[in-house]
Amino acid sequence: MPIEFGIGSDIAIKWYNSWTTDLLDSMGKVDIADPLPEAVTLGKIPSLPTTVHVRDGGTLIPTAAEWTIDNRAMTVEDFAKPGPITLQVTTPEYRNKKQAVRVYVVPENALYFVNSGGYDTADYKLMGSYMKGTLANPGMADQMYTPAEGRDWGYVSADALPSGSNVGDIFSTVRYLNGGNASNSPKGTDLTYSFDVPNGTYDVYAGFNDPWTNTSRRANFLINGTNTGAVTFTPSSVRAHKGISVSGNKLELTVRNTASQDPMISWIMIVKPDSAPPVNDSAGLSADSLTATSAALQWDARQGAASYKLYRSDREQGEYSVMYSGSAREYTDSGLNPGKHYYYKVEALNATGESIHGLSSAYQVITAEQTAADVAARLTTLEQPSAGAKKLKLPVVPQGFTVAIVSSSAPSVIQTNGTITPPWSETTVTLELEVIRTSDDSKAMTMPLTVKVPAYTPSPGGGPGEGSGGNSGGNPGSGSGSNSNGGQSGGNPPVADHSSPQPIPEPQKDRSILELQAQLDQKGVAQSRVEDSVIDAAFKVAPSTADGHRLVELRLNPVSGATTYEVILPVSALMDQGESHVFNIVTELGTVELPATLLAKDIEGDGIVSVRLVRTELPQKVADQLGTEYGVKLELNLDGHAWPSGNELMLRLPYRSLQDTQQDSVIAFAIDANGVATPLPQSHYDSSSGQIVFAVTSRTGNYTVVSVDHTFADLAEVQWAKKAMEALAVRGVIDAQASGDSRQLHPKLEMTRGEYVQWLVTALGLNASLGKAFSDVNEKEPYYEAVAAARSLGITAGAGDGRFLPESTITRQEMMTLTVRALTAAGLVDSELTSADSLTRFRDASEIGSYARDSVALLVDLGIVAGYNGSVKPLAEANRAESAMLLYAMMSKLVWKN
């Protein structure tokens, strides 16, 4: 059986009752180099080349081309319906090769083009791009008809559900009436689309297909109540009804079921045949973005066009030069001069190389003056300081601009005024610079820039600080003064002095503060020891807050050259205090919040507790992945013994958020011993303190904070859920899938029970020993461990008979019930303290199952669920976008609290 190779990667296997070897000559791959049209005009035979060029090795060979459809001559009837059509091109003088060429038939004056189900399939977007300027629904594939909210077209019933995906096509995606069968349907039998249109005459086209190839599916197609006949679902078909008269400003299209299967439709196109096609002399030519030296241009698709030419001139009536020639509809023109005028024209050519409508009108572009952002973007490196340098040398900027340091990852080494304090060991410092244009005070930030500051080189009589230190050795410090430790050799770093005076607590409005002065050792550890009596005094003067807490804040002041901050406390400090006492240990690296009853009573009372925050250099793999070089390691020790398990501490790490940073994108990552970075879903950014906040349950851990900037290509039509889905995706709760160069979250895909439990358990960070698994949950599925943990924690008991039905689509009431049970397991809510009284506001409250009523009511009371137009829709199946919205509201209300 010969295999026939087509254009590009196409192959075909055809059945022949008999064949000879000479047939193989026409089976080989033939690469046609000429641009061919991807869209042709409805009702017209396209203009196609009679000669094409094929590649034979490195040579282009001209050869005759014959165009047919189904091995016959093309007719106008072949192009009478919109949608895809396959042409055949034969090269009789070159192996007699016959190849398939797929094109799309597109009307010139379409008013609506609906891809039922709402999926942005590639063919829908392609066809829509050729209808630009006439469509009333550009960029909106489908929607529900709700005229009170301004949506004056769409499907009528909330029970009309989508099926398909963005990777399908306009026939494989459908919208169907869920439960719309003739024998027992409370939902009726009609799947209806309504369009509010001006009175007049319209042509209606509709595509039908059954992706399940159910031969028993039957339906009629009605237009404004008139039955136009039975629908053919298999094979796929296109219905064409021309000259439909509308007199009541409404056009209704109905697929009415006549058998025992749900009615469905793939796509709809409504054309206003008596409207003149739009005259667009500009060809849609526009600049998507402009810089001082480049212009990113784009233009509209033109029916029948196989290629385009873009021309440029520096005068509107001047001579134009070709800047681009090809089949793309975008081009970035680089190498332009700042603040200059340029003019562009575009020309569409058919497959024979003839101009379709001539050159467009001129489009003017004025490149930007050099901005602060332009200058900042060019600042990518800094001059490295030499040993002993006292001031960082800033880069030179053009006249009319200034530059300054606005943030330093180690202000004890490099201050924002550029002053350098030599560290004890070579230190890498990350700086952010701000460029200001003096003419308008506009500002822009550079990318983070790093410098390596050489280690301090000891010399007689001085250390890394300013001043003499008062002895021949000279410990780091500032100012003059005597020191009883004279006689040390010059430049020796200091050692911890545990006999230093103890701080005096300072009572504040909501806490008492102990200002600690740390001693720096040779390894860069800044250490401070606090005595039991001082802690006792601090709690005594700390005011009691409204919730009964007393807070003592231990502030370890920054120390030049320190890479580790350590506070040593007596064990009794964490045992003897009241239940509501809390410590905050504050350093420039971060803040640790721990309760004063952290330790068990059976620990010896004369031991010491060590709390350390260490600035760490991340493994190169992690640094490349996250775009940051450093992290912070938390170490908790009890005289060398392990920290008691099961305790939860709060850790706050500083993060300087840039002006355009989305707060939901700032998250903490944990880096394990194998150098694997895992996002912490419970982490959130506290804008009031400039810190990322998260809980830790281990005595040691390495963490870092970054802003994760991911763009997802399929959220344009779910703007209401975009923020929620992005926030959960960057935290690793929602799985993203790569599609070419883009990432997708599939917001309209149905949500399964297994996947929702996985999202829920991940978001709340729930853990449990895995008990007996459900019989229908495969251990290879990504949700296996989450479902097993949920069973162990009592979140779910399954669906009966030891099954969980993980691949079944989840309903809204199931989702809300699982959510409340998970919140109860996490200790975030008390499910017993609720009343179903709040459900009376919903007109469909009677539809809520008895098992779900308390859960739904609790989420309503907490403000996590608000309902939709007076309904809570407990039985409706949820998609990924709706599920993300519920989780985002849950996390915002109960987890991401400052």
Side-chain angles (χ1 to χ4, degrees), residues 18-99:
S18 63
W19 57 277
T20 57
T21 56
D22 59 348
L23 180 64
L24 298 178
D25 290 340
S26 65
M27 297 292 178
K29 181 177 177 61
V30 174
D31 185 7
I32 297 178
D34 303 77
L36 299 174
E38 58 186 6
V40 297
T41 304
L42 180 73
K44 297 179 181 179
I45 298 177
S47 176
L48 299 168
T50 56
T51 299
V52 296
H53 295 79
V54 297
R55 285 192 177 91
D56 192 341
T59 306
L60 288 179
I61 300 176
T63 183
E66 299 174 355
W67 295 87
T68 57
I69 293 179
D70 293 335
N71 299 310
R72 57 171 174 75
M74 296 183 294
T75 68
V76 172
E77 280 301 310
D78 293 321
F79 304 92
K81 296 178 180 179
I85 186 172
T86 301
L87 312 180
Q88 297 162 325
V89 56
T90 304
T91 51
E93 299 171 5
Y94 190 87
R95 303 178 187 172
N96 199 35
K97 176 67 178 178
K98 181 180 291 185
Q99 297 194 99

Side-chain angles (χ1 to χ4, degrees), residues 652 663 684-689 691 693 892 895-898:
R652 294 173 172 264
Q663 292 186 13
H684 67 285
Y685 183 67
D686 179 1
S687 58
S688 62
S689 65
Q691 295 174 315
V693 185
S892 299
V895 179
W896 298 331
K897 299 184 298 180
N898 295 331

Side-chain angles (χ1 to χ4, degrees), residues 593-883:
E593 178 184 306
L594 62 161
T597 54
L598 190 65
L599 300 184
K601 295 291 185 182
D602 57 356
I603 293 179
E604 294 296 330
D606 57 353
I608 61 170
V609 173
S610 167
V611 182
R612 291 163 59 103
L613 290 173
V614 186
R615 187 166 185 260
T616 60
E617 189 168 339
L618 299 180
Q620 191 60 50
K621 177 183 176 182
V622 176
D624 293 341
Q625 174 192 347
L626 301 181
T628 186
E629 295 183 52
Y630 299 101
V632 174
K633 186 176 183 180
L634 171 66
E635 295 178 346
L636 304 172
N637 288 289
L638 175 64
D639 268 350
H641 298 289
W643 195 266
S645 61
N647 291 293
E648 183 175 276
L649 310 178
M650 297 304 296
L651 185 59
R652 294 173 172 264
L653 300 182
Y655 181 81
R656 186 179 184 277
S657 177
L658 301 180
Q659 188 173 2
D660 58 348
T661 300
Q662 296 294 322
Q663 292 186 13
D664 279 345
S665 69
V666 181
I667 57 175
F669 281 78
I671 296 91
D672 66 16
N674 297 318
V676 176
T678 303
L680 301 179
Q682 296 84 33
S683 64
H684 67 285
Y685 183 67
D686 179 1
S687 58
S688 62
S689 65
Q691 295 174 315
I692 194 82
V693 185
F694 56 98
V696 296
T697 57
S698 173
R699 70 180 185 87
T700 183
N702 201 4
Y703 308 95
T704 192
V705 181
V706 295
S707 174
V708 181
D709 183 19
H710 284 332
T711 300
F712 302 100
D714 55 351
L715 301 183
E717 289 188 20
V718 289
Q719 290 295 321
W720 51 274
K722 183 174 184 291
K723 181 178 180 181
M725 298 201 77
E726 288 177 340
L728 295 172
V730 299
R731 284 168 168 77
V733 176
I734 297 181
D735 54 307
Q737 295 182 358
S739 177
D741 295 332
S742 65
R743 295 161 62 86
Q744 298 183 345
L745 297 178
H746 304 295
K748 296 184 179 180
L749 206 62
E750 292 176 343
M751 191 68 179
T752 66
R753 286 164 51 86
E755 190 171 34
Y756 184 73
V757 168
Q758 182 184 11
W759 286 15
L760 185 60
V761 169
T762 302
L764 293 175
L766 298 175
N767 294 291
S769 57
L770 304 185
K772 184 179 179 181
F774 291 108
S775 61
D776 58 349
V777 179
N778 191 310
E779 64 180 5
K780 294 182 180 180
E781 294 294 343
Y783 49 71
Y784 174 79
E785 290 189 2
V787 172
R791 188 178 193 181
S792 297
L793 292 169
I795 297 171
T796 178
D801 298 327
R803 297 177 304 145
F804 180 67
L805 305 179
E807 294 299 323
S808 296
T809 303
I810 197 167
T811 65
R812 285 172 53 83
Q813 68 177 1
E814 289 174 335
M815 190 165 62
M816 287 185 269
T817 301
L818 290 170
T819 300
V820 169
R821 291 175 182 171
L823 289 170
T824 303
L828 294 172
V829 300
D830 186 348
S831 59
E832 301 297 325
L833 302 178
T834 186
S835 169
D837 293 345
S838 56
L839 300 180
T840 56
R841 76 182 78 168
F842 301 111
R843 58 174 173 265
D844 56 355
S846 61
E847 298 179 16
I848 303 174
S850 57
Y851 75 93
R853 292 185 67 81
D854 288 345
S855 296
V856 176
L858 180 58
L859 294 181
V860 170
D861 291 341
L862 291 171
I864 294 173
V865 170
Y868 179 80
N869 288 343
S871 299
V872 75
K873 297 186 177 180
L875 303 179
E877 294 180 335
N879 60 27
R880 286 165 62 94
E882 293 166 333
S883 304

Side-chain angles (χ1 to χ4, degrees), residues 243-264:
I244 302 298
S245 179
V246 173
S247 58
N249 297 113
K250 187 177 291 293
L251 181 59
E252 282 195 345
L253 311 179
T254 299
V255 186
R256 178 167 293 167
N257 191 22
T258 58
S260 58
Q261 300 295 327
D262 299 332
M264 61 180 58

Side-chain angles (χ1 to χ4, degrees), residues 65 97 146 267 273 310 371 382 386 414 451 457-458 485 536 551 570 594 601 659 688 781 789 814 817-818 838 861:
K97 176 67 178 178
T146 50
W267 57 268
L310 180 70
T371 65
L382 290 173
S386 58
I414 300 181
V451 294
T457 303
N485 293 331
D536 184 56
L551 171 63
L594 62 161
K601 295 291 185 182
Q659 188 173 2
S688 62
E781 294 294 343
E814 289 174 335
T817 301
L818 290 170
S838 56
D861 291 341

Side-chain angles (χ1 to χ4, degrees), residues 14 312 497 615:
K14 299 180 180 179
R312 186 187 77 193
D497 179 7
R615 187 166 185 260

